[in-house]
Amino acid sequence: MAENQGVILAIDLGSVRVGVAACDAGRVLAYPLDTLPGGEDVARRVADLVADTGAVALVVGYPLALDGSAGIAATKIEAQAREVAALVDVPVWLVDERMSTAQAHRRLRASGRTAKTARSVIDAQSAVGILESVLRASETGHALGRKLEMEEANG
């Protein structure tokens, strides 16, 4: 991500819920923003959040298999990311999300939440984990993930 300032949104796309996280403009702190219901209009709702927050980039959790290959779930998420990319004027990045949900569960358990009480926020916490990995990588000058090119997004 070329710019080193500005809000970045991260999403953890799921069929039932979509977790959304954001960071401050200085890119110091990632925090849960919202949990959206899954469904047909997810791309539009995410595009609206990008506009509402003034985000300069969007990070999409990319569910690679443990061996790093892109399976059926990754293909589905990439197609959804392309739908969003067609609606926004900011770069969209696919970022490996392996283990982000497990990390989110550990964080919530450590804070005293049970699986039942964590269900409504787990997706947003997962998006926080994805965004934190991006922020850590950018601190060291590394890009994390793969940028969707507009030709890819619209093709």
Side-chain angles (χ1 to χ4, degrees):
M1 282 165 226
E3 311 89 16
N4 58 7
Q5 295 291 309
V7 172
I8 299 173
L9 284 188
I11 57 173
D12 181 25
L13 287 166
S15 57
V16 177
R17 290 178 300 275
V18 176
V20 183
C23 68
D24 61 293
R27 298 188 183 170
V28 174
L29 179 66
Y31 55 91
L33 185 64
D34 204 352
T35 301
L36 305 172
E40 292 180 18
D41 60 343
V42 166
R44 170 58 51 207
R45 285 182 282 148
V46 170
D48 290 344
L49 279 174
V50 168
D52 292 347
T53 60
V56 298
L58 176 65
V59 172
V60 179
Y62 193 48
L64 296 173
L66 289 177
D67 67 1
S69 64
I72 295 169
T75 302
K76 181 179 176 185
I77 295 301
E78 186 168 345
Q80 289 179 297
R82 287 179 180 168
E83 289 178 31
V84 175
L87 299 175
V88 297
D89 290 326
V90 300
V92 176
W93 291 76
L94 297 174
V95 174
D96 183 359
E97 70 165 16
R98 285 178 285 184
M99 312 309 277
S100 64
T101 301
Q103 289 171 338
H105 276 288
R106 280 194 298 276
R107 281 182 176 176
L108 290 169
R109 268 195 312 272
S111 72
R113 305 259 335 234
T114 65
K116 186 176 182 180
T117 63
R119 191 172 298 131
S120 65
V121 296
I122 193 69
D123 300 289
Q125 282 297 324
S126 183
V128 168
I130 295 163
L131 185 50
E132 286 176 340
S133 67
V134 168
L135 296 177
R136 280 192 307 272
S138 67
E139 284 176 359
T140 60
H142 294 94
L144 193 61
R146 175 171 61 94
K147 182 179 177 184
L148 278 180
E149 298 301 325
M150 288 313 292
E151 303 80 54
E152 263 189 271
N154 296 322

